[in-house]
């Protein structure tokens, strides 16, 4: 059974915006840290952003700081990634991930989340091109 599902990807021009959604099918995401990651063709999956469950603290990779915003809507059991000022280098499949582990915060190197999660969605394609 699918536990996480991403949506909201698409094709946008440079400078455009998208809002990605990560929804849980069986669990309340408000209990867990949730991270956003992306993977471009031929590259490793890289951390983009993460939001903690307790204090709601947020972390961003340097490459997206000031452009992306992560947030929660607990009533909708959804974590969002608002992406503004998109650039071609943002093109990738975007995934959300979590360990469904109570009390475990975002794991980061610097401010970049690490891809340590056991559970992932299927991914949503983001393409930035003119």
């Amino acid at each position: 059974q699918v536990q996480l599902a991403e949506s909201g990807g698409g094709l946008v021009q440079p400078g455009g915006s998208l809002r990605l959604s990560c929804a849980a099918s069986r669990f309340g995401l408000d209990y867990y840290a949730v991270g956003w990651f992306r993977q471009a063709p031929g590259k490793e999956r890289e951390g983009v952003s993460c939001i903690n469950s307790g204090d709601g603290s947020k972390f961003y990779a340097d490459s997206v700081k000031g452009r992306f915003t992560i947030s929660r809507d607990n009533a909708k059991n959804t974590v969002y990634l608002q992406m503004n000022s998109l650039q071609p280098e943002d093109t990738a499949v975007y995934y959300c991930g979590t360990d469904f582990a109570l009390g475990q915060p975002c794991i980061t190197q610097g401010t970049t989340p690490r891809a340590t999660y056991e559970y992932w969605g299927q991914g949503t394609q983001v393409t930035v091109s003119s």
Side-chain angles (χ1 to χ4, degrees), residues 40-120:
K43 295 185 177 181
E44 298 287 335
R45 189 169 299 186
E46 63 176 344
V48 175
S49 185
C50 190
I51 184 168
N52 279 322
S53 62
D55 60 7
S57 57
K58 304 170 183 179
F59 303 89
Y60 301 95
D62 288 340
S63 60
V64 306
K65 285 180 181 176
R67 299 190 297 121
F68 292 9
T69 303
I70 191 170
S71 63
R72 293 181 186 268
D73 187 334
N74 291 336
K76 297 181 179 179
N77 198 29
T78 301
V79 172
Y80 300 101
L81 185 67
Q82 177 67 47
M83 305 185 296
N84 298 326
S85 302
L86 284 163
Q87 301 299 316
E89 53 265 37
D90 296 315
T91 296
V93 177
Y94 283 70
Y95 302 87
C96 62
T98 186
D99 281 334
F100 290 114
L102 292 173
Q104 180 173 330
C106 295
I107 304 299
T108 64
Q109 50 186 28
T111 61
T112 303
R114 300 184 67 181
T116 58
Y117 300 112
E118 294 186 29
Y119 301 94
W120 303 88

